[in-house]
Amino acid sequence: MNVDGIDVVRATMPRVDPQWRTASYAASSVEGLILQVHADGHTGLGAAIARPNGTPADVLERAFIDPVRRLLVGRDVSAHTLILHSLQMAEVHRSVVSAVDMALYDLLGKAVNLPCHALWGGAVSSTLQIVRMVGIKPPAELVTAVGSMMEEGFTHFKVKLGTAELVTAVGSMMEEGFTHF
């Protein structure tokens, strides 16, 4: 099964928390690029995310157009490792290579009617924990934000800390029963 073509869809995704910030940037949205790899009537999907203080979305998008299109179209999907190696040798950004990797696995899985985990050796668990990221906030807002997420059913959090004041807030949260950060 050879790759017939690719498409790239650019999407601006608003953050659930429009006040999101870390120590190095603040962003109310995320720029994403969705890669569609087509072969024999199937489409595999992969994605890359641009970061405000990292590689801009325009640069990632140009990498999908060339060299990714040039190195991918016409290639046999089963040559997955060789395709990724050729992208790495062409010094394609690692986020773009990752998107191609995802799309090729998704495409192959759809072609053989199997979930990706079957291609990777099988499922190791029937459940997984989703970790929610929480940006830097004043202590009271941090407690409220994590509490709201816990009410939604989330149990694991990665909390961005920027000041000693926030470290104190996490201590308070632990005293209130928050256990996974």
Side-chain angles (χ1 to χ4, degrees):
M1 174 170 62
N2 292 338
V3 175
D4 302 326
I6 70 166
D7 291 305
V8 179
V9 178
R10 195 162 167 174
T12 300
M13 301 167 282
R15 289 196 181 271
V16 172
D17 177 2
Q19 304 301 315
W20 171 265
R21 72 182 186 92
T22 69
S24 61
Y25 73 90
S28 60
S29 64
V30 176
E31 287 288 320
L33 298 150
I34 302 161
L35 172 65
Q36 302 172 339
V37 178
H38 310 288
D40 293 351
H42 300 285
T43 300
L45 302 175
I49 301 298
R51 288 168 179 77
N53 58 352
T55 305
D58 291 339
V59 172
L60 298 176
E61 189 171 22
R62 280 194 302 274
F64 281 118
I65 303 308
D66 183 57
V68 170
R69 178 175 278 127
R70 178 174 39 85
L71 294 171
L72 198 55
V73 174
R75 299 286 297 268
D76 184 342
V77 174
S78 67
H80 191 130
T81 302
L82 292 174
I83 291 169
L84 296 180
H85 182 69
S86 68
L87 293 171
Q88 291 164 342
M89 294 304 293
E91 297 183 0
V92 173
H93 191 279
R94 67 183 180 271
S95 293
V96 172
V97 174
S98 178
V100 171
D101 188 32
M102 285 183 262
L104 290 175
Y105 272 118
D106 187 44
L107 179 62
L108 185 58
K110 288 174 178 172
V112 297
N113 199 29
L114 289 171
C116 287
H117 69 76
L119 303 175
W120 300 326
V124 295
S125 176
S126 60
T127 63
L128 64 106
Q129 296 296 324
I130 296 174
V131 176
R132 281 297 307 262
M133 303 262 307
V134 183
I136 295 174
K137 298 182 171 306
E141 290 179 31
L142 183 65
V143 171
T144 301
V146 172
S148 295
M149 290 178 203
M150 288 182 73
E151 288 173 8
E152 293 175 26
F154 293 99
T155 58
H156 291 71
F157 305 91
K158 182 173 183 180
V159 179
K160 298 291 186 175
L161 300 175
T163 65
E165 185 177 45
L166 291 174
V167 172
T168 302
V170 170
S172 298
M173 291 168 67
M174 291 176 72
E175 289 173 10
E176 292 184 33
F178 297 101
T179 59
H180 296 87
F181 296 94

